[in-house]
mmCIF file of all heavy atoms in Angstrom:
data_model
loop_
_atom_site.group_PDB
_atom_site.id
_atom_site.type_symbol
_atom_site.label_atom_id
_atom_site.label_comp_id
_atom_site.label_asym_id
_atom_site.label_seq_id
_atom_site.Cartn_x
_atom_site.Cartn_y
_atom_site.Cartn_z
ATOM 1 N N MET A 1 318.971 19.625 8.503
ATOM 2 C CA MET A 1 317.771 20.239 7.890
ATOM 3 C C MET A 1 317.008 19.203 7.075
ATOM 4 O O MET A 1 317.567 18.509 6.239
ATOM 5 C CB MET A 1 318.182 21.384 6.953
ATOM 6 C CG MET A 1 318.709 22.581 7.708
ATOM 7 S SD MET A 1 317.417 23.721 8.145
ATOM 8 C CE MET A 1 318.357 24.986 8.974
ATOM 9 N N THR A 2 315.781 19.131 7.317
ATOM 10 C CA THR A 2 314.946 18.229 6.538
ATOM 11 C C THR A 2 314.118 19.036 5.551
ATOM 12 O O THR A 2 313.839 20.212 5.765
ATOM 13 C CB THR A 2 314.011 17.414 7.451
ATOM 14 O OG1 THR A 2 313.311 18.303 8.292
ATOM 15 C CG2 THR A 2 314.797 16.432 8.288
ATOM 16 N N ASP A 3 313.708 18.383 4.507
ATOM 17 C CA ASP A 3 312.866 19.052 3.524
ATOM 18 C C ASP A 3 311.446 19.108 4.045
ATOM 19 O O ASP A 3 310.778 18.094 4.212
ATOM 20 C CB ASP A 3 312.920 18.267 2.199
ATOM 21 C CG ASP A 3 312.083 18.952 1.127
ATOM 22 O OD1 ASP A 3 311.724 20.123 1.304
ATOM 23 O OD2 ASP A 3 311.818 18.313 0.107
ATOM 24 N N ILE A 4 310.972 20.308 4.302
ATOM 25 C CA ILE A 4 309.642 20.440 4.878
ATOM 26 C C ILE A 4 308.568 20.589 3.820
ATOM 27 O O ILE A 4 307.410 20.663 4.126
ATOM 28 C CB ILE A 4 309.573 21.655 5.833
ATOM 29 C CG1 ILE A 4 310.098 22.901 5.134
ATOM 30 C CG2 ILE A 4 310.334 21.349 7.107
ATOM 31 C CD1 ILE A 4 310.029 24.131 6.011
ATOM 32 N N GLN A 5 308.980 20.640 2.567
ATOM 33 C CA GLN A 5 307.997 20.799 1.481
ATOM 34 C C GLN A 5 307.526 19.452 0.968
ATOM 35 O O GLN A 5 307.389 19.256 -0.216
ATOM 36 C CB GLN A 5 308.640 21.593 0.333
ATOM 37 C CG GLN A 5 308.829 23.060 0.646
ATOM 38 C CD GLN A 5 307.527 23.835 0.604
ATOM 39 O OE1 GLN A 5 306.604 23.444 -0.094
ATOM 40 N NE2 GLN A 5 307.431 24.936 1.300
ATOM 41 N N ASN A 6 307.278 18.505 1.858
ATOM 42 C CA ASN A 6 306.828 17.218 1.347
ATOM 43 C C ASN A 6 305.309 17.116 1.312
ATOM 44 O O ASN A 6 304.703 17.122 0.264
ATOM 45 C CB ASN A 6 307.466 16.064 2.121
ATOM 46 C CG ASN A 6 307.384 16.263 3.638
ATOM 47 O OD1 ASN A 6 306.586 17.064 4.105
ATOM 48 N ND2 ASN A 6 308.191 15.555 4.359
ATOM 49 N N ALA A 7 304.674 17.020 2.440
ATOM 50 C CA ALA A 7 303.227 16.809 2.422
ATOM 51 C C ALA A 7 302.494 17.630 3.465
ATOM 52 O O ALA A 7 301.308 17.472 3.640
ATOM 53 C CB ALA A 7 302.925 15.338 2.635
ATOM 54 N N THR A 8 303.196 18.525 4.112
ATOM 55 C CA THR A 8 302.587 19.239 5.217
ATOM 56 C C THR A 8 302.690 20.743 5.023
ATOM 57 O O THR A 8 303.781 21.290 4.890
ATOM 58 C CB THR A 8 303.291 18.880 6.535
ATOM 59 O OG1 THR A 8 303.401 17.466 6.623
ATOM 60 C CG2 THR A 8 302.516 19.385 7.713
ATOM 61 N N PRO A 9 301.557 21.439 4.993
ATOM 62 C CA PRO A 9 301.618 22.908 4.943
ATOM 63 C C PRO A 9 302.168 23.465 6.249
ATOM 64 O O PRO A 9 302.120 22.796 7.289
ATOM 65 C CB PRO A 9 300.149 23.318 4.748
ATOM 66 C CG PRO A 9 299.343 22.178 5.218
ATOM 67 C CD PRO A 9 300.165 20.935 5.003
ATOM 68 N N LEU A 10 302.675 24.680 6.181
ATOM 69 C CA LEU A 10 303.332 25.265 7.347
ATOM 70 C C LEU A 10 302.440 26.297 8.023
ATOM 71 O O LEU A 10 301.615 26.948 7.389
ATOM 72 C CB LEU A 10 304.646 25.904 6.938
ATOM 73 C CG LEU A 10 305.642 24.971 6.259
ATOM 74 C CD1 LEU A 10 306.896 25.745 5.894
ATOM 75 C CD2 LEU A 10 305.980 23.778 7.128
ATOM 76 N N CYS A 11 302.649 26.451 9.319
ATOM 77 C CA CYS A 11 301.902 27.421 10.106
ATOM 78 C C CYS A 11 302.182 28.843 9.611
ATOM 79 O O CYS A 11 303.344 29.229 9.467
ATOM 80 C CB CYS A 11 302.306 27.290 11.565
ATOM 81 S SG CYS A 11 301.528 28.510 12.611
ATOM 82 N N PRO A 12 301.143 29.625 9.350
ATOM 83 C CA PRO A 12 301.346 31.003 8.914
ATOM 84 C C PRO A 12 301.932 31.892 9.989
ATOM 85 O O PRO A 12 302.434 32.982 9.704
ATOM 86 C CB PRO A 12 299.931 31.474 8.513
ATOM 87 C CG PRO A 12 298.991 30.557 9.212
ATOM 88 C CD PRO A 12 299.720 29.250 9.399
ATOM 89 N N ASP A 13 301.891 31.457 11.223
ATOM 90 C CA ASP A 13 302.384 32.274 12.327
ATOM 91 C C ASP A 13 303.792 31.913 12.757
ATOM 92 O O ASP A 13 304.613 32.789 12.985
ATOM 93 C CB ASP A 13 301.441 32.137 13.531
ATOM 94 C CG ASP A 13 300.083 32.739 13.240
ATOM 95 O OD1 ASP A 13 300.021 33.771 12.543
ATOM 96 O OD2 ASP A 13 299.076 32.162 13.674
ATOM 97 N N CYS A 14 304.096 30.628 12.894
ATOM 98 C CA CYS A 14 305.398 30.236 13.416
ATOM 99 C C CYS A 14 306.247 29.460 12.402
ATOM 100 O O CYS A 14 307.418 29.247 12.631
ATOM 101 C CB CYS A 14 305.242 29.433 14.695
ATOM 102 S SG CYS A 14 304.558 27.794 14.437
ATOM 103 N N GLY A 15 305.609 29.024 11.304
ATOM 104 C CA GLY A 15 306.384 28.349 10.265
ATOM 105 C C GLY A 15 306.632 26.885 10.515
ATOM 106 O O GLY A 15 307.353 26.238 9.760
ATOM 107 N N LYS A 16 306.054 26.337 11.559
ATOM 108 C CA LYS A 16 306.216 24.901 11.840
ATOM 109 C C LYS A 16 305.194 24.109 11.026
ATOM 110 O O LYS A 16 304.148 24.622 10.651
ATOM 111 C CB LYS A 16 306.001 24.629 13.325
ATOM 112 C CG LYS A 16 306.977 25.346 14.235
ATOM 113 C CD LYS A 16 308.317 24.648 14.222
ATOM 114 C CE LYS A 16 309.349 25.462 14.928
ATOM 115 N NZ LYS A 16 309.768 25.055 16.201
ATOM 116 N N PRO A 17 305.511 22.844 10.754
ATOM 117 C CA PRO A 17 304.553 21.989 10.033
ATOM 118 C C PRO A 17 303.264 21.853 10.802
ATOM 119 O O PRO A 17 303.260 21.696 12.020
ATOM 120 C CB PRO A 17 305.278 20.636 9.920
ATOM 121 C CG PRO A 17 306.717 20.963 10.081
ATOM 122 C CD PRO A 17 306.774 22.145 11.019
ATOM 123 N N LEU A 18 302.164 21.910 10.059
ATOM 124 C CA LEU A 18 300.848 21.790 10.677
ATOM 125 C C LEU A 18 300.370 20.349 10.649
ATOM 126 O O LEU A 18 300.753 19.566 9.782
ATOM 127 C CB LEU A 18 299.845 22.652 9.935
ATOM 128 C CG LEU A 18 300.051 24.162 10.052
ATOM 129 C CD1 LEU A 18 299.208 24.881 9.021
ATOM 130 C CD2 LEU A 18 299.699 24.640 11.437
ATOM 131 N N GLU A 19 299.506 20.047 11.568
ATOM 132 C CA GLU A 19 298.847 18.754 11.569
ATOM 133 C C GLU A 19 297.515 18.911 10.867
ATOM 134 O O GLU A 19 296.742 19.806 11.167
ATOM 135 C CB GLU A 19 298.635 18.298 13.011
ATOM 136 C CG GLU A 19 298.321 16.839 13.144
ATOM 137 C CD GLU A 19 298.436 16.369 14.586
ATOM 138 O OE1 GLU A 19 299.408 16.752 15.254
ATOM 139 O OE2 GLU A 19 297.539 15.658 15.029
ATOM 140 N N GLU A 20 297.260 18.025 9.912
ATOM 141 C CA GLU A 20 296.027 18.121 9.133
ATOM 142 C C GLU A 20 294.961 17.247 9.780
ATOM 143 O O GLU A 20 295.160 16.061 9.980
ATOM 144 C CB GLU A 20 296.295 17.691 7.710
ATOM 145 C CG GLU A 20 295.095 17.933 6.808
ATOM 146 C CD GLU A 20 295.407 17.599 5.358
ATOM 147 O OE1 GLU A 20 296.272 18.253 4.759
ATOM 148 O OE2 GLU A 20 294.816 16.664 4.838
ATOM 149 N N LEU A 21 293.839 17.853 10.084
ATOM 150 C CA LEU A 21 292.733 17.125 10.671
ATOM 151 C C LEU A 21 291.597 17.093 9.657
ATOM 152 O O LEU A 21 291.149 18.116 9.179
ATOM 153 C CB LEU A 21 292.250 17.815 11.946
ATOM 154 C CG LEU A 21 293.323 18.141 12.982
ATOM 155 C CD1 LEU A 21 292.731 18.984 14.092
ATOM 156 C CD2 LEU A 21 293.974 16.894 13.526
ATOM 157 N N VAL A 22 291.143 15.893 9.348
ATOM 158 C CA VAL A 22 290.067 15.754 8.393
ATOM 159 C C VAL A 22 288.857 15.176 9.092
ATOM 160 O O VAL A 22 288.924 14.105 9.692
ATOM 161 C CB VAL A 22 290.473 14.861 7.215
ATOM 162 C CG1 VAL A 22 289.331 14.761 6.205
ATOM 163 C CG2 VAL A 22 291.736 15.382 6.548
ATOM 164 N N ALA A 23 287.751 15.907 9.033
ATOM 165 C CA ALA A 23 286.527 15.441 9.676
ATOM 166 C C ALA A 23 285.346 15.725 8.770
ATOM 167 O O ALA A 23 285.087 16.868 8.414
ATOM 168 C CB ALA A 23 286.328 16.137 11.021
ATOM 169 N N CYS A 24 284.669 14.685 8.387
ATOM 170 C CA CYS A 24 283.460 14.827 7.559
ATOM 171 C C CYS A 24 283.734 15.647 6.296
ATOM 172 O O CYS A 24 282.925 16.482 5.901
ATOM 173 C CB CYS A 24 282.325 15.466 8.354
ATOM 174 S SG CYS A 24 281.849 14.469 9.766
ATOM 175 N N GLY A 25 284.877 15.428 5.682
ATOM 176 C CA GLY A 25 285.194 16.109 4.445
ATOM 177 C C GLY A 25 285.749 17.508 4.613
ATOM 178 O O GLY A 25 286.240 18.091 3.690
ATOM 179 N N ALA A 26 285.679 18.039 5.824
ATOM 180 C CA ALA A 26 286.244 19.362 6.080
ATOM 181 C C ALA A 26 287.652 19.210 6.655
ATOM 182 O O ALA A 26 287.918 18.296 7.431
ATOM 183 C CB ALA A 26 285.378 20.130 7.060
ATOM 184 N N ARG A 27 288.535 20.090 6.223
ATOM 185 C CA ARG A 27 289.901 20.011 6.707
ATOM 186 C C ARG A 27 290.197 21.165 7.637
ATOM 187 O O ARG A 27 289.871 22.305 7.355
ATOM 188 C CB ARG A 27 290.871 20.065 5.537
ATOM 189 C CG ARG A 27 291.048 18.716 4.922
ATOM 190 C CD ARG A 27 292.017 18.778 3.792
ATOM 191 N NE ARG A 27 291.745 17.666 2.893
ATOM 192 C CZ ARG A 27 292.539 17.354 1.863
ATOM 193 N NH1 ARG A 27 293.589 18.085 1.607
ATOM 194 N NH2 ARG A 27 292.239 16.349 1.097
ATOM 195 N N ASP A 28 290.826 20.830 8.730
ATOM 196 C CA ASP A 28 291.328 21.852 9.638
ATOM 197 C C ASP A 28 292.796 21.624 9.852
ATOM 198 O O ASP A 28 293.307 20.534 9.644
ATOM 199 C CB ASP A 28 290.595 21.760 10.986
ATOM 200 C CG ASP A 28 289.156 22.211 10.887
ATOM 201 O OD1 ASP A 28 288.904 23.285 10.322
ATOM 202 O OD2 ASP A 28 288.294 21.468 11.360
ATOM 203 N N TYR A 29 293.477 22.667 10.239
ATOM 204 C CA TYR A 29 294.911 22.564 10.462
ATOM 205 C C TYR A 29 295.227 22.985 11.888
ATOM 206 O O TYR A 29 294.830 24.068 12.329
ATOM 207 C CB TYR A 29 295.660 23.445 9.453
ATOM 208 C CG TYR A 29 295.482 22.935 8.066
ATOM 209 C CD1 TYR A 29 294.498 23.465 7.222
ATOM 210 C CD2 TYR A 29 296.268 21.896 7.596
ATOM 211 C CE1 TYR A 29 294.324 22.974 5.945
ATOM 212 C CE2 TYR A 29 296.095 21.401 6.318
ATOM 213 C CZ TYR A 29 295.127 21.944 5.505
ATOM 214 O OH TYR A 29 294.945 21.446 4.242
ATOM 215 N N PHE A 30 295.938 22.119 12.578
ATOM 216 C CA PHE A 30 296.305 22.394 13.960
ATOM 217 C C PHE A 30 297.811 22.542 14.063
ATOM 218 O O PHE A 30 298.572 21.747 13.528
ATOM 219 C CB PHE A 30 295.829 21.237 14.849
ATOM 220 C CG PHE A 30 296.068 21.491 16.309
ATOM 221 C CD1 PHE A 30 295.166 22.254 17.032
ATOM 222 C CD2 PHE A 30 297.189 20.962 16.944
ATOM 223 C CE1 PHE A 30 295.381 22.498 18.381
ATOM 224 C CE2 PHE A 30 297.407 21.204 18.293
ATOM 225 C CZ PHE A 30 296.498 21.973 19.017
ATOM 226 N N CYS A 31 298.222 23.616 14.755
ATOM 227 C CA CYS A 31 299.651 23.840 14.977
ATOM 228 C C CYS A 31 300.009 23.384 16.391
ATOM 229 O O CYS A 31 299.487 23.916 17.361
ATOM 230 C CB CYS A 31 300.006 25.299 14.781
ATOM 231 S SG CYS A 31 301.761 25.609 15.065
ATOM 232 N N ASN A 32 300.896 22.407 16.453
ATOM 233 C CA ASN A 32 301.332 21.912 17.763
ATOM 234 C C ASN A 32 302.252 22.911 18.465
ATOM 235 O O ASN A 32 302.412 22.864 19.675
ATOM 236 C CB ASN A 32 302.053 20.578 17.599
ATOM 237 C CG ASN A 32 301.076 19.455 17.313
ATOM 238 O OD1 ASN A 32 300.107 19.286 18.039
ATOM 239 N ND2 ASN A 32 301.322 18.709 16.268
ATOM 240 N N SER A 33 302.842 23.816 17.683
ATOM 241 C CA SER A 33 303.735 24.803 18.278
ATOM 242 C C SER A 33 302.942 25.954 18.888
ATOM 243 O O SER A 33 303.175 26.369 20.015
ATOM 244 C CB SER A 33 304.696 25.327 17.214
ATOM 245 O OG SER A 33 305.616 26.216 17.771
ATOM 246 N N CYS A 34 301.959 26.479 18.127
ATOM 247 C CA CYS A 34 301.073 27.525 18.658
ATOM 248 C C CYS A 34 300.003 26.941 19.570
ATOM 249 O O CYS A 34 299.391 27.646 20.345
ATOM 250 C CB CYS A 34 300.392 28.252 17.514
ATOM 251 S SG CYS A 34 301.508 29.074 16.366
ATOM 252 N N ASN A 35 299.771 25.644 19.420
ATOM 253 C CA ASN A 35 298.756 24.948 20.199
ATOM 254 C C ASN A 35 297.350 25.482 19.925
ATOM 255 O O ASN A 35 296.555 25.702 20.834
ATOM 256 C CB ASN A 35 299.083 25.016 21.695
ATOM 257 C CG ASN A 35 298.388 23.914 22.475
ATOM 258 O OD1 ASN A 35 298.231 22.801 21.970
ATOM 259 N ND2 ASN A 35 297.970 24.191 23.684
ATOM 260 N N GLU A 36 297.084 25.723 18.641
ATOM 261 C CA GLU A 36 295.754 26.180 18.270
ATOM 262 C C GLU A 36 295.453 25.827 16.831
ATOM 263 O O GLU A 36 296.353 25.580 16.023
ATOM 264 C CB GLU A 36 295.621 27.677 18.479
ATOM 265 C CG GLU A 36 296.512 28.487 17.573
ATOM 266 C CD GLU A 36 296.399 29.978 17.843
ATOM 267 O OE1 GLU A 36 296.030 30.371 18.963
ATOM 268 O OE2 GLU A 36 296.679 30.749 16.917
ATOM 269 N N LEU A 37 294.144 25.811 16.520
ATOM 270 C CA LEU A 37 293.721 25.599 15.143
ATOM 271 C C LEU A 37 294.014 26.824 14.307
ATOM 272 O O LEU A 37 293.893 27.951 14.771
ATOM 273 C CB LEU A 37 292.213 25.311 15.115
ATOM 274 C CG LEU A 37 291.775 23.877 15.428
ATOM 275 C CD1 LEU A 37 290.258 23.835 15.550
ATOM 276 C CD2 LEU A 37 292.235 22.916 14.372
ATOM 277 N N LYS A 38 294.375 26.585 13.048
ATOM 278 C CA LYS A 38 294.646 27.678 12.132
ATOM 279 C C LYS A 38 293.558 27.720 11.050
ATOM 280 O O LYS A 38 293.126 26.696 10.557
ATOM 281 C CB LYS A 38 296.006 27.488 11.469
ATOM 282 C CG LYS A 38 297.160 27.462 12.436
ATOM 283 C CD LYS A 38 297.251 28.785 13.189
ATOM 284 C CE LYS A 38 298.355 28.722 14.230
ATOM 285 N NZ LYS A 38 298.431 29.970 15.001
ATOM 286 N N SER A 39 293.163 28.919 10.731
ATOM 287 C CA SER A 39 292.177 29.118 9.668
ATOM 288 C C SER A 39 292.686 28.533 8.354
ATOM 289 O O SER A 39 293.811 28.780 7.949
ATOM 290 C CB SER A 39 291.901 30.610 9.503
ATOM 291 O OG SER A 39 291.419 30.879 8.206
ATOM 292 N N LYS A 40 291.824 27.777 7.713
ATOM 293 C CA LYS A 40 292.201 27.179 6.441
ATOM 294 C C LYS A 40 292.567 28.252 5.420
ATOM 295 O O LYS A 40 293.469 28.070 4.604
ATOM 296 C CB LYS A 40 291.046 26.335 5.926
ATOM 297 C CG LYS A 40 291.374 25.542 4.689
ATOM 298 C CD LYS A 40 290.376 24.443 4.447
ATOM 299 C CE LYS A 40 288.940 24.948 4.407
ATOM 300 N NZ LYS A 40 287.977 23.854 4.164
ATOM 301 N N THR A 41 291.857 29.364 5.483
ATOM 302 C CA THR A 41 292.147 30.463 4.565
ATOM 303 C C THR A 41 293.554 31.001 4.760
ATOM 304 O O THR A 41 294.304 31.199 3.805
ATOM 305 C CB THR A 41 291.142 31.599 4.779
ATOM 306 O OG1 THR A 41 289.821 31.082 4.660
ATOM 307 C CG2 THR A 41 291.343 32.692 3.725
ATOM 308 N N ARG A 42 293.935 31.194 5.995
ATOM 309 C CA ARG A 42 295.278 31.719 6.277
ATOM 310 C C ARG A 42 296.340 30.701 5.924
ATOM 311 O O ARG A 42 297.422 31.032 5.432
ATOM 312 C CB ARG A 42 295.385 32.113 7.744
ATOM 313 C CG ARG A 42 294.530 33.312 8.071
ATOM 314 C CD ARG A 42 294.838 33.826 9.461
ATOM 315 N NE ARG A 42 296.219 34.235 9.557
ATOM 316 C CZ ARG A 42 297.014 33.999 10.601
ATOM 317 N NH1 ARG A 42 296.560 33.368 11.641
ATOM 318 N NH2 ARG A 42 298.255 34.396 10.605
ATOM 319 N N VAL A 43 296.060 29.428 6.203
ATOM 320 C CA VAL A 43 297.010 28.375 5.866
ATOM 321 C C VAL A 43 297.221 28.335 4.366
ATOM 322 O O VAL A 43 298.348 28.227 3.875
ATOM 323 C CB VAL A 43 296.506 27.015 6.380
ATOM 324 C CG1 VAL A 43 297.378 25.886 5.863
ATOM 325 C CG2 VAL A 43 296.482 27.009 7.902
ATOM 326 N N ARG A 44 296.136 28.460 3.635
ATOM 327 C CA ARG A 44 296.228 28.474 2.166
ATOM 328 C C ARG A 44 297.078 29.628 1.676
ATOM 329 O O ARG A 44 297.922 29.464 0.797
ATOM 330 C CB ARG A 44 294.826 28.616 1.583
ATOM 331 C CG ARG A 44 294.267 27.316 1.076
ATOM 332 C CD ARG A 44 292.904 27.593 0.431
ATOM 333 N NE ARG A 44 292.257 26.350 0.076
ATOM 334 C CZ ARG A 44 292.563 25.657 -1.028
ATOM 335 N NH1 ARG A 44 293.495 26.082 -1.834
ATOM 336 N NH2 ARG A 44 291.949 24.535 -1.287
ATOM 337 N N GLU A 45 296.816 30.805 2.220
ATOM 338 C CA GLU A 45 297.556 31.999 1.772
ATOM 339 C C GLU A 45 299.032 31.865 2.072
ATOM 340 O O GLU A 45 299.883 32.293 1.289
ATOM 341 C CB GLU A 45 296.996 33.247 2.465
ATOM 342 C CG GLU A 45 295.653 33.655 1.897
ATOM 343 C CD GLU A 45 295.012 34.803 2.678
ATOM 344 O OE1 GLU A 45 295.594 35.222 3.705
ATOM 345 O OE2 GLU A 45 293.931 35.257 2.272
ATOM 346 N N ALA A 46 299.347 31.276 3.199
ATOM 347 C CA ALA A 46 300.740 31.150 3.599
ATOM 348 C C ALA A 46 301.448 30.005 2.877
ATOM 349 O O ALA A 46 302.667 29.926 2.886
ATOM 350 C CB ALA A 46 300.832 30.936 5.111
ATOM 351 N N ASN A 47 300.665 29.138 2.233
ATOM 352 C CA ASN A 47 301.235 27.974 1.550
ATOM 353 C C ASN A 47 300.714 27.886 0.126
ATOM 354 O O ASN A 47 300.334 26.815 -0.342
ATOM 355 C CB ASN A 47 300.875 26.701 2.322
ATOM 356 C CG ASN A 47 301.496 26.652 3.707
ATOM 357 O OD1 ASN A 47 302.604 26.185 3.881
ATOM 358 N ND2 ASN A 47 300.754 27.160 4.695
ATOM 359 N N ALA A 48 300.687 29.031 -0.554
ATOM 360 C CA ALA A 48 300.095 29.096 -1.883
ATOM 361 C C ALA A 48 300.731 28.085 -2.833
ATOM 362 O O ALA A 48 300.043 27.383 -3.575
ATOM 363 C CB ALA A 48 300.222 30.501 -2.436
ATOM 364 N N ALA A 49 302.050 28.001 -2.797
ATOM 365 C CA ALA A 49 302.742 27.088 -3.692
ATOM 366 C C ALA A 49 302.400 25.643 -3.376
ATOM 367 O O ALA A 49 302.220 24.825 -4.280
ATOM 368 C CB ALA A 49 304.255 27.294 -3.584
ATOM 369 N N PHE A 50 302.311 25.348 -2.094
ATOM 370 C CA PHE A 50 301.986 23.988 -1.675
ATOM 371 C C PHE A 50 300.618 23.580 -2.204
ATOM 372 O O PHE A 50 300.443 22.515 -2.772
ATOM 373 C CB PHE A 50 302.006 23.928 -0.132
ATOM 374 C CG PHE A 50 301.514 22.610 0.405
ATOM 375 C CD1 PHE A 50 302.360 21.517 0.514
ATOM 376 C CD2 PHE A 50 300.190 22.466 0.795
ATOM 377 C CE1 PHE A 50 301.912 20.314 1.013
ATOM 378 C CE2 PHE A 50 299.721 21.241 1.296
ATOM 379 C CZ PHE A 50 300.580 20.163 1.393
ATOM 380 N N PHE A 51 299.628 24.468 -2.027
ATOM 381 C CA PHE A 51 298.277 24.118 -2.450
ATOM 382 C C PHE A 51 298.145 24.129 -3.968
ATOM 383 O O PHE A 51 297.396 23.345 -4.545
ATOM 384 C CB PHE A 51 297.257 25.046 -1.800
ATOM 385 C CG PHE A 51 297.009 24.709 -0.367
ATOM 386 C CD1 PHE A 51 297.610 25.427 0.654
ATOM 387 C CD2 PHE A 51 296.207 23.630 -0.034
ATOM 388 C CE1 PHE A 51 297.395 25.109 1.977
ATOM 389 C CE2 PHE A 51 295.986 23.291 1.306
ATOM 390 C CZ PHE A 51 296.583 24.038 2.305
ATOM 391 N N ALA A 52 298.865 25.027 -4.630
ATOM 392 C CA ALA A 52 298.835 25.053 -6.083
ATOM 393 C C ALA A 52 299.364 23.757 -6.672
ATOM 394 O O ALA A 52 298.885 23.272 -7.679
ATOM 395 C CB ALA A 52 299.659 26.242 -6.593
ATOM 396 N N ALA A 53 300.354 23.186 -6.004
ATOM 397 C CA ALA A 53 300.992 21.982 -6.512
ATOM 398 C C ALA A 53 300.203 20.724 -6.165
ATOM 399 O O ALA A 53 300.229 19.760 -6.890
ATOM 400 C CB ALA A 53 302.418 21.880 -5.958
ATOM 401 N N SER A 54 299.533 20.734 -5.041
ATOM 402 C CA SER A 54 298.956 19.489 -4.536
ATOM 403 C C SER A 54 297.432 19.457 -4.551
ATOM 404 O O SER A 54 296.831 18.410 -4.427
ATOM 405 C CB SER A 54 299.436 19.219 -3.121
ATOM 406 O OG SER A 54 298.932 20.221 -2.254
ATOM 407 N N SER A 55 296.809 20.607 -4.698
ATOM 408 C CA SER A 55 295.351 20.645 -4.594
ATOM 409 C C SER A 55 294.680 20.053 -5.805
ATOM 410 O O SER A 55 294.991 20.355 -6.932
ATOM 411 C CB SER A 55 294.870 22.084 -4.409
ATOM 412 O OG SER A 55 293.461 22.099 -4.376
ATOM 413 N N LYS A 56 293.742 19.172 -5.543
ATOM 414 C CA LYS A 56 292.934 18.590 -6.616
ATOM 415 C C LYS A 56 291.454 18.862 -6.341
ATOM 416 O O LYS A 56 290.600 18.101 -6.752
ATOM 417 C CB LYS A 56 293.163 17.074 -6.683
ATOM 418 C CG LYS A 56 294.588 16.699 -6.996
ATOM 419 C CD LYS A 56 294.864 16.773 -8.482
ATOM 420 C CE LYS A 56 296.243 16.170 -8.755
ATOM 421 N NZ LYS A 56 296.752 16.545 -10.068
ATOM 422 N N GLU A 57 291.200 19.930 -5.658
ATOM 423 C CA GLU A 57 289.822 20.198 -5.274
ATOM 424 C C GLU A 57 288.962 20.600 -6.450
ATOM 425 O O GLU A 57 289.398 21.315 -7.343
ATOM 426 C CB GLU A 57 289.794 21.354 -4.252
ATOM 427 C CG GLU A 57 290.204 20.897 -2.870
ATOM 428 C CD GLU A 57 290.124 22.059 -1.880
ATOM 429 O OE1 GLU A 57 289.232 22.884 -2.016
ATOM 430 O OE2 GLU A 57 290.989 22.117 -1.007
ATOM 431 N N ASN A 58 287.756 20.117 -6.433
ATOM 432 C CA ASN A 58 286.774 20.577 -7.415
ATOM 433 C C ASN A 58 286.134 21.864 -6.926
ATOM 434 O O ASN A 58 285.786 21.975 -5.779
ATOM 435 C CB ASN A 58 285.702 19.524 -7.620
ATOM 436 C CG ASN A 58 286.253 18.273 -8.254
ATOM 437 O OD1 ASN A 58 287.081 18.344 -9.150
ATOM 438 N ND2 ASN A 58 285.811 17.136 -7.784
ATOM 439 N N HIS A 59 285.996 22.789 -7.857
ATOM 440 C CA HIS A 59 285.432 24.052 -7.430
ATOM 441 C C HIS A 59 284.134 24.335 -8.108
ATOM 442 O O HIS A 59 283.929 23.935 -9.209
ATOM 443 C CB HIS A 59 286.423 25.204 -7.693
ATOM 444 C CG HIS A 59 286.710 25.987 -6.453
ATOM 445 N ND1 HIS A 59 285.919 27.008 -6.010
ATOM 446 C CD2 HIS A 59 287.677 25.828 -5.542
ATOM 447 C CE1 HIS A 59 286.434 27.477 -4.902
ATOM 448 N NE2 HIS A 59 287.489 26.788 -4.581
HETATM 449 ZN ZN1 ZN B 101 302.182 27.854 14.676
#
């Protein structure tokens, strides 16, 4: 078992680590297991602790 709580949020559907895609300042999350893009909103909700700990976004 590896520690998955390092730098990668997890897929809200399958729980696998997501691939973070950054384009022009916008972030998208792609799941290689589901083979589809995941909504940033859903990724955030499913990884609340992750984003609370690591997010430095200006609002
Ligand atoms: Zn998935």
Side-chain angles (χ1 to χ4, degrees):
M1 289 271 181
T2 52
D3 182 15
I4 52 178
Q5 288 284 334
N6 47 18
T8 312
L10 302 179
C11 176
D13 294 323
C14 71
K16 299 282 171 106
L18 292 167
E19 196 167 316
E20 187 175 297
L21 309 173
V22 182
C24 299
R27 277 181 204 188
D28 289 311
Y29 294 96
F30 185 83
C31 179
N32 286 308
S33 183
C34 300
N35 201 35
E36 66 182 24
L37 278 172
K38 299 298 176 183
S39 156
K40 187 164 54 180
T41 306
R42 291 190 61 221
V43 172
R44 258 184 187 281
E45 286 173 357
N47 296 271
F50 173 84
F51 283 101
S54 65
S55 177
K56 298 278 189 197
E57 283 181 36
N58 294 320
H59 236 274

